[in-house]
Structures are given as C-alpha cells and as structure tokens.
C-alpha cells in the first residue's frame, strides 16, 4: 500500500552510502518538492538487512538507490525489489562493468574499500604534518612520538627522507647532529631500532655543501663546507651513533628511494 504521492528515495550501501546519497540528491533537486526525503542505510552487509529495508520501502512511494559491490548482495537486492515491485537503481554497476571491460580484469568485489582508502589518505596526511612539525630538531618531543627518528649531520638527506617516508604513512622526526649542540636526551630514551643514523662521505659532503653555499649566494669557502669542519662533524656523529648502537646508512651513493627502502626494511624487522 502506497502512503501519499510524494516520493521517497532509499539509499542502501555496504559502506557509508555517501556516493549513493549524493546521486540521489542530484536527482531529487530536478523534481522540486516531488520527493519528500532521502533515507540512507549505511553498512548493509547482510541479506536480511536488504529484505527488511525493501519491505519497509514497499509501504511508501519509493525507489531504492544502492551502492553494493558484492554480487550476491546485488542479486538479492534485485530479487527482493522485484518481489515488491520497487524500482532499484544500481549506481556503481555500470561504472564497474565499464572498468572491467576496459582493464580486462575482475574487480575485487570487496565492501568498504573506499572507506579504507580514505583512512589511508588521512593517515598519510597526518604523517606528512608530523614530518613538517618535527623536521630538523624543531621540537624534541617528537622523538618519542615518531615511528622512526633520523639522525645526521647537515646534508645527509634527513628532510627529503622524512617526507618520502611520510608518504608511506611513517611518522618521522629528524634530528641534526651538530658538535656545538648536545643531542636531545630523548634519543637515548627510545629503543635503538627506532633510530636510523645517516652519514655521508667527506668528499661528497664537501661538494654538496659548497654547492649549497653558492646557491644561497654565500662564500663557498666558509667553514660550513671546509673539510676540517666536515671531518669533525662526522667524527662527532660517529661517537653518538656508537653510543646509541643504532643502524647507520651511508647515503653517499644512494638515491632517496633506495635509502628509504633500506629504512623500511629495518623498521619491519624491528616490528
């Protein structure tokens, strides 16, 4: 029995149902006040739920808009909707079929993947924000919160590595090692398998630092790029690394991706 003449749109989804609701709203607006409401039913993962929703919808002047990806659930929806003579619109079906033909591959048919992707995205954003906040020793409190802490003298790729790893959802804090500054006590208070020390060959550092000074319009013969200074920094850093007994990676002949891969391997072994 149909109650009233104004229509109702039932949105049924195995995830949040946001996609189906957006489509329903886009359609509803074309009919002014002819559609009274949109009712959303998220996380519909059982056939019994579908049966109950369709039975309820049959009491109204309703259609069903659904975003179900599991074939058995879609088939059940169509069968029950047909039984009650209700129009059921598959929002994703045509797109998935077209992509299946385009890629010549079978879809995963897993419910909630979009939600998992969203969670992954936000975790990545959090990791990037973390890397920026705790870059270059800005705040030593990040050491204890980080998944991994990178140590190294200037120009050992600490910041690029931090950002690269952040895109892998790894929260990274990096600490510069400078002879004139005591390293933060926090690095001695965390497990050494969460610390990665970075080093570089003296000649390579000398070249990199000279180019850096030139790029900044500064005298490339400044103490920062002198071999004596570089050797002193590396010696100081090595003493700290030995004290920490942490893994050490020489980045002199490695691309960022290669070094990051080594770091990820060390992290996984430590888990």
């Amino acid at each position: 029995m149909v109650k009233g003449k104004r229509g109702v749109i039932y949105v049924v989804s195995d995830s949040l149902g946001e996609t189906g609701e957006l489509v329903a709203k886009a359609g509803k607006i074309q009919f002014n006040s002819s559609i009274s409401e949109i009712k959303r039913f998220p996380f519909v993962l059982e056939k019994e739920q579908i049966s109950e929703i369709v039975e309820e919808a049959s009491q109204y002047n309703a259609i069903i808009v659904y975003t179900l990806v599991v074939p058995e659930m879609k088939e059940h929806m169509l069968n029950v909707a047909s039984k009650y003579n209700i129009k059921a619109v598959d929002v994703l079906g045509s797109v998935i079929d077209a992509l299946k033909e385009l890629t010549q591959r079978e879809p995963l048919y897993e419910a909630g993947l979009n939600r998992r992707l969203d969670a992954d995205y936000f975790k990545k954003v959090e990791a990037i924000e973390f890397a920026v906040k705790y870059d270059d020793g800005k705040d030593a409190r990040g050491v204890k919160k980080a998944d991994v802490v990178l140590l190294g003298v200037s120009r050992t790729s600490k910041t690029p590595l931090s950002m690269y790893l952040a895109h892998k959802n790894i929260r990274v804090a990096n600490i510069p090692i400078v002879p004139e500054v005591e390293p933060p006590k926090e690095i001695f208070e965390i497990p050494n398998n969460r610390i990665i020390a970075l080093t570089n060959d003296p000649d390579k550092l000398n070249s990199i630092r000279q180019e850096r000074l030139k790029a900044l319009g500064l005298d490339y013969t400044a103490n920062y790029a002198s071999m004596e200074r570089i050797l002193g920094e590396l010696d100081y850093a090595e003493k700290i690394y030995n004290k920490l007994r942490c893994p050490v990676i020489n980045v002199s002949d490695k691309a960022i991706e290669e070094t990051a891969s080594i770091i990820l391997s060390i992290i996984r072994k430590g888990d």
Side-chain angles (χ1 to χ4, degrees):
M1 177 180 177
V2 175
K3 298 180 180 178
K5 295 181 180 179
R6 296 177 70 197
V8 180
I9 304 175
Y10 278 61
V11 176
V12 181
S13 175
D14 50 27
S15 188
L16 291 172
E18 292 174 330
T19 301
E21 185 173 24
L22 284 172
V23 172
K25 285 180 176 178
K28 176 180 180 293
I29 202 170
Q30 299 296 324
F31 294 89
N32 297 319
S33 59
S34 300
I35 307 297
S36 64
E37 65 175 317
I38 296 172
K39 299 182 70 173
R40 184 167 70 169
F41 296 84
F43 307 116
V44 175
L45 302 172
E46 303 292 338
K47 291 180 180 179
E48 291 76 11
Q49 292 174 276
I50 291 176
S51 298
E52 291 171 2
I53 294 166
V54 176
E55 183 178 0
E56 178 186 318
S58 71
Q59 304 299 309
Y60 298 87
N61 185 30
I63 69 164
I64 296 172
V65 172
Y66 65 93
T67 53
L68 302 170
V69 297
V70 178
E72 296 79 30
M73 297 290 282
K74 292 171 65 171
E75 183 180 1
H76 186 71
M77 169 63 80
L78 291 174
N79 290 338
V80 179
S82 176
K83 173 184 173 182
Y84 286 98
N85 197 29
I86 295 177
K87 178 70 174 177
V89 181
D90 182 359
V91 172
L92 295 178
S94 296
V95 176
I96 289 176
D97 289 343
L99 290 172
K100 180 179 176 180
E101 183 177 345
L102 175 69
T103 62
Q104 296 296 300
R105 296 180 62 182
E106 284 294 316
L108 296 173
Y109 293 125
E110 292 182 25
L113 282 181
N114 192 54
R115 191 170 70 257
R116 275 180 257 168
L117 288 173
D118 286 344
D120 186 68
Y121 170 77
F122 286 115
K123 187 175 180 182
K124 181 181 297 184
V125 170
E126 179 191 357
I128 292 170
E129 291 176 345
F130 188 96
V132 172
K133 183 175 182 179
Y134 297 110
D135 178 48
D136 205 32
K138 290 175 185 173
D139 188 342
R141 290 175 297 182
V143 168
K144 292 189 175 181
K145 301 175 185 177
D147 297 316
V148 64
V149 178
L150 302 181
L151 307 179
V153 301
S154 177
R155 317 316 292 176
T156 48
S157 303
K158 296 186 299 298
T159 296
L161 280 167
S162 295
M163 296 308 298
Y164 186 94
L165 291 168
H167 280 82
K168 302 290 185 183
N169 300 347
I170 306 295
R171 294 179 304 169
V172 185
N174 75 73
I175 305 292
I177 301 300
V178 184
E180 293 78 13
V181 180
E182 283 288 324
K185 60 182 176 56
E186 286 83 357
I187 65 172
F188 299 98
E189 297 171 353
I190 63 173
N192 61 1
N193 61 5
R194 283 171 50 198
I195 301 172
I196 305 293
L198 305 172
T199 190
N200 208 332
D201 291 341
D203 290 337
K204 187 72 177 286
L205 270 179
N206 177 252
S207 176
I208 293 172
R209 290 188 179 187
Q210 285 185 0
E211 290 301 317
R212 177 63 175 166
L213 289 172
K214 288 178 185 178
L216 294 173
L218 301 173
D219 184 0
Y220 68 89
T221 62
N223 185 48
Y224 172 72
S226 74
M227 186 60 75
E228 182 181 357
R229 170 70 187 187
I230 290 169
L231 291 172
E233 287 185 24
L234 291 174
D235 182 61
Y236 177 70
E238 185 178 0
K239 290 176 182 176
I240 292 174
Y241 301 163
N242 289 338
K243 187 175 180 180
L244 289 167
R245 301 179 66 184
C246 61
V248 180
I249 302 173
N250 188 321
V251 302
S252 61
D253 59 351
K254 294 179 178 63
I256 295 295
E257 296 83 358
E258 185 180 357
T259 305
S261 178
I262 295 170
I263 293 171
L264 289 170
S265 177
I266 292 171
I267 293 172
R268 293 188 189 107
K269 286 179 182 177
D271 289 342

